[in-house]
């Protein structure tokens, strides 16, 4: 929109083009609504695959020659005497008159803070389930992303999938995901550990405490790969600081 209006602008993104959508599993359907986009016209469908949506965005960026700096994080923002801002980023400083925050809800992937989490076989996104076969896989989380990853991995040949969730049941997930995870449980394709928390991660396994308080027991879960899909941490301290700087311009 800024480009279409002839404004001087710059876009920075701490991840790659596409943000959360790029991290979706291959061929995942994304939900949208009919929308009019500058340089693209109307997107009238309500469903696009991940690859289709990314392709549309990439074509718009190419045609409009939109300037985006990927893998650049916003670190700080200082208001100047002339009412402009200096934005401090991981790639230097940027002078600007206005700042638009389009951060989404994902934030930085939430970490467990347990021993072994720094291991190479611990991941925070699943890009291609088909690349994992014949593996013991542990999924940590109970939202739509975790369930979709678990079911996608469970249909790959030879995989043995365990899902660890800290609550006693799934909440606020899409109906189709609830139906699918329930069916996979009943068929023995996914082992679900409710009321559980990962305490440590080792090479080829993880220690998971299952149960509440006095009844809790530590079990060893085979895990060649561990996917931590427990949501994200929004940058609340940074946002609070921005609020004090002046909402009229941010």
């Amino acid at each position: 929109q800024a480009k279409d209006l002839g404004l001087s602008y710059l876009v920075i993104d701490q991840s790659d083009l596409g943000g959360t959508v790029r991290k979706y599993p291959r061929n995942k359907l994304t939900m949208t609504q009919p929308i009019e986009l500058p340089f693209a016209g109307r997107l009238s469908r309500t469903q696009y695959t991940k690859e289709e949506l990314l392709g549309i965005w990439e074509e718009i960026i190419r045609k409009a020659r939109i300037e985006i700096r990927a893998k650049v994080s916003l670190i700080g923002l200082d208001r100047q005497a002339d009412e402009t801002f200096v934005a401090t980023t991981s790639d230097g400083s940027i002078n600007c008159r206005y700042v638009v925050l389009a951060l989404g809800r994902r934030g930085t992937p939430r970490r467990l803070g347990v021993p072994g989490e720094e291991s190479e076989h611990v991941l925070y996104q699943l890009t291609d389930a088909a690349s994992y076969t014949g593996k013991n896989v542990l999924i940590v989380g109970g939202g739509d992303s975790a369930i979709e990853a678990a079911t996608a991995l469970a249909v790959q040949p030879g995989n043995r999938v365990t899902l660890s969730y800290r609550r006693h049941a799934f909440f606020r997930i899409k109906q189709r995901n609830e139906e699918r995870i329930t069916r996979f449980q009943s068929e023995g394709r996914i082992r679900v550990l409710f009321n559980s928390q990962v305490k440590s991660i080792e090479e080829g396994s993880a220690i998971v405490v299952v149960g509440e308080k006095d009844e809790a027991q530590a079990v060893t879960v085979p895990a060649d790969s561990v996917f931590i899909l427990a949501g994200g941490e929004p940058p609340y301290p940074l946002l609070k600081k921005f609020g004090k700087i002046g909402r009229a311009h941010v």
Side-chain angles (χ1 to χ4, degrees):
Q1 190 68 55
K3 179 81 173 185
D4 196 36
L5 293 172
L7 302 177
S8 174
Y9 72 94
L10 176 64
V11 178
I12 65 171
D13 196 311
Q14 70 174 358
S15 60
D16 292 321
L17 169 66
T20 300
V21 173
R22 185 169 291 278
K23 297 180 174 65
Y24 285 165
R26 186 174 58 178
N27 293 323
K28 172 181 165 61
L29 286 176
T30 61
M31 309 296 291
T32 184
Q33 60 184 8
I35 186 173
E36 197 79 27
L37 290 178
F39 304 101
R42 185 173 178 80
L43 301 184
S44 57
R45 290 160 50 189
T46 58
Q47 284 190 344
Y48 293 85
T49 66
K50 162 191 170 177
E51 290 76 13
E52 286 176 326
L53 200 55
L54 289 176
I56 292 170
W57 291 342
E58 289 167 352
E59 182 66 10
I60 293 173
I61 289 169
R62 185 188 66 80
K63 283 184 175 180
R65 298 181 180 178
I66 296 175
E67 184 176 0
I68 298 178
R69 295 184 188 174
K71 298 184 178 180
V72 175
S73 299
L74 179 62
I75 299 172
L77 192 65
D78 295 302
R79 192 171 186 176
Q80 307 301 296
D82 62 357
E83 299 295 307
T84 63
F85 294 99
V86 175
T88 303
T89 78
S90 58
D91 191 37
S93 298
I94 300 171
N95 296 311
C96 52
R97 186 172 298 278
Y98 297 95
V99 179
V100 177
L101 300 177
L103 306 178
R105 296 184 300 171
R106 182 179 178 86
T108 302
R110 182 173 288 119
R111 300 174 65 85
L112 302 181
V114 301
E117 191 172 2
E118 303 298 330
S119 303
E120 291 184 357
H121 67 288
V122 178
L123 305 165
Y124 297 87
Q125 66 184 65
L126 174 64
T127 304
D128 185 7
S131 62
Y132 294 86
T133 58
K135 302 290 186 182
N136 292 308
V137 183
L138 172 63
I139 309 291
V140 182
D144 286 309
S145 295
I147 290 171
E148 288 169 6
T151 53
L153 287 163
V155 299
Q156 305 307 317
N159 283 343
R160 296 160 294 278
V161 178
T162 301
L163 188 145
S164 169
Y165 186 36
R166 60 185 177 84
R167 304 182 73 169
H168 70 276
F170 297 117
F171 291 89
R172 295 189 298 274
I173 59 174
K174 295 185 179 73
Q175 183 178 351
R176 67 172 182 267
N177 284 335
E178 184 171 9
E179 292 172 351
R180 200 167 191 219
I181 189 67
T182 300
R183 176 163 54 84
F184 277 45
Q185 278 183 268
S186 64
E187 295 172 352
R189 302 170 78 177
I190 296 178
R191 176 191 184 195
V192 178
L193 301 177
F194 288 115
N195 291 325
S196 67
Q197 295 187 56
V198 175
K199 289 303 179 181
S200 66
I201 300 171
E202 303 171 359
E203 189 68 33
S205 66
I207 304 300
V208 180
V209 174
V210 184
E212 297 181 355
K213 298 181 180 179
D214 295 339
E215 297 180 359
Q217 294 183 339
V219 299
T220 300
V221 176
D224 300 310
S225 295
V226 178
F227 291 92
I228 300 173
L229 305 174
E233 299 283 0
Y236 288 132
L238 200 60
L239 291 175
K240 288 180 179 178
K241 181 181 177 182
F242 291 167
K244 295 178 182 178
I245 292 173
R247 295 176 181 174
H249 298 276
V250 179

